[in-house]
Amino acid sequence: MTRILVVDDEIQIRRALTVNLSARGYDVDTAASGEEALTQAAARHPDLVLLDLGLPGIDGIQVVEGLRGWTKVPIIVLSVRDSEADKVAALDAGADDYVTKPFGM
């Protein structure tokens, strides 16, 4: 089964993604902070990371950089930040794609 790590500080987003992805047959882990994301990724080795940028503790860009230090797991940023500079920063840090909120399943 494909394992997806959902990282977002908003419980509603985590729940919605967990329900929708689980219904489609994915195994879903969640994290509410950058530190928790790195810990979960190291312990569970996800096949994909869905990552918000605005996190408590270390931010999403730092999470991308931390993950890129040891894994090539695909990272898709899901963020309300829609400026070109934010998108470029995330992609330059190693994210694979960038989707702005709100988004459709």
Side-chain angles (χ1 to χ4, degrees):
M1 182 177 292
T2 301
R3 179 175 303 282
I4 299 175
L5 175 58
V6 174
V7 185
D8 201 299
D9 61 329
E10 295 181 44
I11 185 76
Q12 303 91 331
I13 299 289
R14 288 195 314 272
R15 282 185 187 154
L17 286 170
T18 297
V19 167
N20 280 285
L21 292 168
S22 295
R24 288 165 174 79
Y26 297 101
D27 190 13
V28 181
D29 296 317
T30 63
S33 70
E35 293 85 353
E36 187 180 357
L38 292 174
T39 300
Q40 283 276 5
R44 308 281 288 170
H45 301 282
D47 299 298
L48 173 70
V49 177
L50 299 177
L51 175 67
D52 185 22
L53 292 183
L55 299 170
I58 62 173
D59 71 10
I61 298 293
Q62 292 171 303
V63 173
V64 172
E65 293 168 344
L67 289 171
R68 285 296 171 247
W70 62 274
T71 182
K72 294 184 185 290
V73 65
I75 301 169
I76 299 175
V77 172
L78 303 176
S79 181
V80 296
R81 299 178 189 174
D82 62 355
S83 76
E84 186 173 333
D86 287 323
K87 293 175 184 178
V88 169
L91 295 170
D92 281 351
D96 295 285
D97 206 349
Y98 195 107
V99 177
T100 54
K101 294 177 187 176
F103 56 87
M105 288 305 291

